[in-house]
Structures are given as structure tokens and as C-alpha cells.
Amino acid sequence: MVLVTGASSGIGAAVATRFAVDGCWQLLLHGRDKERLSQVAARTGGTVLNADLTDPVNADHLARTAVEAAGGVDVLVAAAGIGWAGRFVSIPLPAIDEVLAVDLASVVRLVRLLLPRMVERRRGRIVLMGSIAGAVGVEDEAVYSAAKAALGAFADSLRYELRGSGVEICLVLPGVVDTPFFVRRGTPCRNTVLKPVPAEQVAEAIWRAVVRRNRSELFIPRWLRLPARIHGVAPAVFRRLAERFG
């Protein structure tokens, strides 16, 4: 059983479609937009789980419903996410709460509620949707970058705890993905270096990571691993390069 959050559009919808093509998985599909989610479910054969993850009660209900529907979740793909772009001094306080709730808090809660059953069954795969913004920080996206960076630390910590348990963690770090994400946040992508990749490319990488169980970290496109490593080894050098080239 695969639970995909954010499955009503973008990366989540592409992931649902890719797993459906495989034909070996039952799908539980979460989304906020019930109409679009129903359309994705109709073409993938998935079960609709409509919920707004800005409310922690809904995250808890989603996890319980998923367990009750399937007896346990084998794979969680936490693809739900929102963004906000602009100077940090301008971001409304409710927007901070919303970004942190959807991109971080709801993910942590879902994992906490689904993980014990995975450990008990000694199998499971948790796919967390990070971002290159969380690996290197991005100008005018301070809160979003912070949430994604926290997910990266969360993934690392879980890997240590879960050694030998049969449960694996995969962190996905895409660059710019061609989805409605930027339209919904109300600000277009300003990065002129990163070429948008299709959501289907991200979904294919996620599917391969789940099926082959051999990747704990996915940079999409792969060359993004280099700036992330430079940032880790020589952050001052990276910042100078970023200031010069964007």
C-alpha cells in the first residue's frame, strides 16, 4: 500500500500515476482539492483521502484512515507542499505558520503515526520531499528553505534510528520542477540557472528508489549534488558564487 500526499497535482499526481502504471500497488491518495484529487484517483484507481494538512488534527485523521483502510502503509511519499516567496520581513505571520505546518509539521506527524507499524512489520519506505532550497538556502525563500532543511535533518536522524529495522528513508531534493507550485504561491521562479524538470522525471526517480531500495538521497537533476556538496564543505565559497551567479 502506497500513501501519496499532495496527490491532486504536481509531483504527487505524477507519483500516483507512475505507481499505478506499475500495477502492483494499492494507492491511497491525499490532497486538499477534492475535485482534482478525484480525477487523479479515477485514472489511477486510487482511494481518495481529502484533508487539509495545515490542521494537525487532519494529519492524525489521515494516518488513522490510511491504517484502517489498508492495515498498514508500506510506502509513504510525502509530496504535499506549499511555498511563499519574498523578503522575510514581508511574510505574513499566518503564511509562516502555513508553510511550516504543511512542509514540516504534518510530515513529521504522519511519519510518527505510520512508522511504528512499519517497524513492527519490519518493512517500509518513507520518501520525504525536500528541496535544493533546503540544502543550500535560497534568497527570498527563508521559511520554505528552513522547512526543507529541517526535513533533511529529520531524514538523517531517522536513518540512524532505523538501521537494521527494515524501514528505509529516502530524501528527494529536486531543483525547479514544472508544476503549479509557483502559480499557487503567487510568485514565479526567479532562478535563471535551473531549468525546470517535468514532474514525471521526479516521479520516475522516486518509483525507482522505492522498488530498488538502493537510494537514500536523490538530487534531481543529479548535478545539483555538486553545489550541495560545495555548500557543505565550503559554505563561504558557495555564498560568494551564489551572490555572483544567482
Side-chain angles (χ1 to χ4, degrees):
M1 178 64 68
V2 181
L3 170 60
V4 184
T5 68
S8 55
S9 67
I11 293 173
V15 168
T17 300
R18 182 61 186 88
F19 275 89
V21 169
D22 194 29
C24 301
W25 305 89
Q26 290 179 277
L27 297 173
L28 297 174
L29 306 179
H30 154 269
R32 282 201 288 184
D33 189 312
K34 194 169 185 178
E35 182 177 347
R36 286 204 311 264
L37 186 62
S38 296
Q39 293 171 358
V40 175
R43 68 172 184 262
T44 61
T47 299
V48 169
L49 298 176
N50 184 239
D52 181 353
L53 293 181
T54 58
D55 186 341
V57 173
N58 288 337
D60 298 354
H61 178 69
L62 176 61
R64 286 196 302 271
T65 303
V67 171
E68 291 168 2
V73 171
D74 299 298
V75 179
L76 168 64
V77 181
I82 59 172
W84 194 92
R87 296 296 180 184
F88 181 70
V89 294
S90 301
I91 184 171
L93 292 179
I96 294 176
D97 295 338
E98 186 178 20
V99 171
L100 293 178
V102 175
D103 294 354
L104 179 60
S106 70
V107 179
V108 173
R109 292 182 74 91
L110 273 177
V111 173
R112 172 60 184 87
L113 294 164
L114 296 175
L115 184 58
R117 187 67 62 93
M118 291 182 178
V119 172
E120 181 182 318
R121 299 162 75 183
R122 298 195 62 78
R123 70 174 188 272
R125 187 73 160 161
I126 295 172
V127 180
L128 303 177
M129 190 59 58
S131 169
I132 189 62
V136 302
V138 173
E139 184 179 359
D140 289 344
E141 297 185 23
V143 178
Y144 178 77
S145 297
K148 295 302 185 179
L151 275 186
F154 180 56
D156 281 338
S157 296
L158 284 180
R159 288 191 197 102
Y160 295 134
E161 289 187 26
L162 296 172
R163 275 196 306 266
S165 70
V167 182
E168 299 179 8
I169 307 295
C170 178
L171 178 67
V172 184
L173 298 103
V176 179
V177 184
D178 187 10
T179 71
F181 174 86
F182 297 103
V183 175
R184 292 204 185 101
R185 79 176 187 180
T187 308
C189 177
R190 300 190 183 102
N191 192 301
T192 58
V193 176
L194 294 177
K195 181 180 178 181
V197 301
E200 291 75 17
Q201 181 178 337
V202 181
E204 180 68 23
I206 290 172
W207 176 81
R208 289 178 182 273
V210 168
V211 171
R212 297 178 181 178
R213 305 179 69 86
N214 63 348
R215 299 294 297 275
S216 61
E217 192 175 66
L218 292 171
F219 286 90
I220 305 171
R222 292 181 180 178
W223 66 264
L224 286 179
R225 182 183 299 273
L226 177 60
R229 296 298 178 256
I230 294 174
H231 181 272
V233 174
V237 172
F238 178 88
R239 283 193 291 272
R240 286 196 294 271
L241 292 172
E243 288 168 0
R244 181 174 179 182
F245 298 106

